[in-house]
């Protein structure tokens, strides 16, 4: 299966999957790279680090804390909860609207990149995690205008505010399926831990052979 998995929550990332194997992800050395998150900035010009130290007098530790804990949605509008941010945007709060637009724009940027990475051969776009499962608004904004690329959203199915049990939200004629699949990070971590533990188990010692007959 070829899929683009959009894990959208307080922490966000996108994975590009080809033939069942992840070949790219929006994260880098740390989760700081990539999408705009609840408190993390995502992609930015590396020059900002020296700029903040030089112009604002921040230490490297302070800059690191700012980029990880005081940026992203929180830095853009003072709130890291997408549900309340959308509510504020609907009430005309400019910074909240800006935060939603930037969040969606960054998701679409990576989505387009991975569509090209897979040469357009994509079986499914998957939304998961808190925002991906529960925000029909964000799902609709991410998929808006993508019909020429083979993505057609079923408005009625997507309009279910919460998709806790998952499901397909694309039309029957959509070339690329759009799906909501609940995330279970704890189970995934547990399964990978078991696999790793099995690999690291010491090889059994050979049985002693007696010379007696």
């Amino acid at each position: 299966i070829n899929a683009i998995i959009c894990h959208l929550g307080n922490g966000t990332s996108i994975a590009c999957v080809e033939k069942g194997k992840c070949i790219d992800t929006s994260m880098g050395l740390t989760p700081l790279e990539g999408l705009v998150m609840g408190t993390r900035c995502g992609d930015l010009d590396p020059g900002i680090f020296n700029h903040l130290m030089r112009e604002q007098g921040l230490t490297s530790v302070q800059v690191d804390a700012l980029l990880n804990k005081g940026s992203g949605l929180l830095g853009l509008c003072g709130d890291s909860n997408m549900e309340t941010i959308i509510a504020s945007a609907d009430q005309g709060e400019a910074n909240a609207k800006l935060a939603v637009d930037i969040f969606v724009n960054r998701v679409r940027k990576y989505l387009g990149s991975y569509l090209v990475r897979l040469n357009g051969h994509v079986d499914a776009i998957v939304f998961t995690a808190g925002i991906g499962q529960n925000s029909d608004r964000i799902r609709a904004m991410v998929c808006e205008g993508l019909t020429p690329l083979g993505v057609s959203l079923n408005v009625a199915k997507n309009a279910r505010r919460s998709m806790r049990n998952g499901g397909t939200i694309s039309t029957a004629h959509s070339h690329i399926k759009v799906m909501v699949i609940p995330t279970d990070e704890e189970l995934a971590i547990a399964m990978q831990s078991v696999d790793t533990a099995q690999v690291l188990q010491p090889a059994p010692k050979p049985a002693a052979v007696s010379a007696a007959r």
Side-chain angles (χ1 to χ4, degrees):
I1 184 173
N2 291 355
I4 301 173
I5 301 173
C6 304
H7 182 106
L8 308 180
N10 192 53
T12 63
S13 65
I14 295 187
C16 180
V17 176
E18 183 177 38
K19 296 179 181 178
K21 180 180 179 180
C22 181
I23 61 170
D24 204 351
T25 174
S26 58
M27 295 182 292
L29 174 65
T30 73
L32 193 62
E33 184 182 4
L35 307 181
V36 172
M37 308 183 201
T39 64
R40 296 189 182 110
C41 60
D43 290 340
L44 49 68
D45 180 349
I48 193 67
F49 202 94
N50 284 335
H51 174 80
L52 289 171
M53 293 178 68
R54 183 178 60 251
E55 300 298 328
Q56 301 296 323
L58 301 181
T59 66
S60 61
V61 173
Q62 288 174 322
V63 173
D64 183 71
L66 176 63
L67 299 182
N68 278 283
K69 299 180 179 179
S71 300
L73 296 174
L74 182 65
L76 287 165
C77 68
D79 190 354
S80 62
N81 185 304
M82 182 58 78
E83 184 176 7
T84 56
I85 292 172
I86 290 175
S88 296
D90 289 343
Q91 293 173 5
E93 217 291 307
N95 286 342
K97 183 179 185 306
L98 177 66
V100 172
D101 289 344
I102 290 177
F103 180 91
V104 170
N105 180 69
R106 189 65 58 82
V107 174
R108 286 168 61 91
K109 180 178 180 180
Y110 272 93
L111 181 61
S113 172
Y114 290 163
L115 279 167
V116 172
R117 180 74 189 271
L118 294 170
N119 298 313
H121 300 303
V122 179
D123 299 305
I125 295 171
V126 177
F127 289 95
T128 189
I131 297 172
Q133 290 171 225
N134 298 314
S135 180
D136 58 311
R137 175 82 67 86
I138 295 298
R139 293 193 299 261
M141 291 177 71
V142 169
C143 296
E144 184 177 3
L146 300 186
T147 302
L149 300 178
V151 178
S152 179
L153 206 62
N154 183 310
V155 177
K157 289 183 178 180
N158 182 60
R160 303 171 190 163
R161 181 180 174 279
S162 175
M163 294 285 291
R164 294 187 183 279
N165 296 321
T168 299
I169 57 173
S170 51
T171 66
H173 303 292
S174 182
H175 178 68
I176 298 174
K177 284 188 176 182
V178 183
M179 308 177 70
V180 176
I181 298 179
T183 188
D184 194 336
E185 294 165 285
E186 290 80 7
L187 177 61
I189 292 170
M191 292 173 65
Q192 291 179 35
S193 298
V194 170
D195 290 342
T196 301
Q198 291 174 342
V199 169
L200 296 178
Q201 281 183 350
K205 294 181 180 180
V209 178
S210 173
R213 294 185 180 276

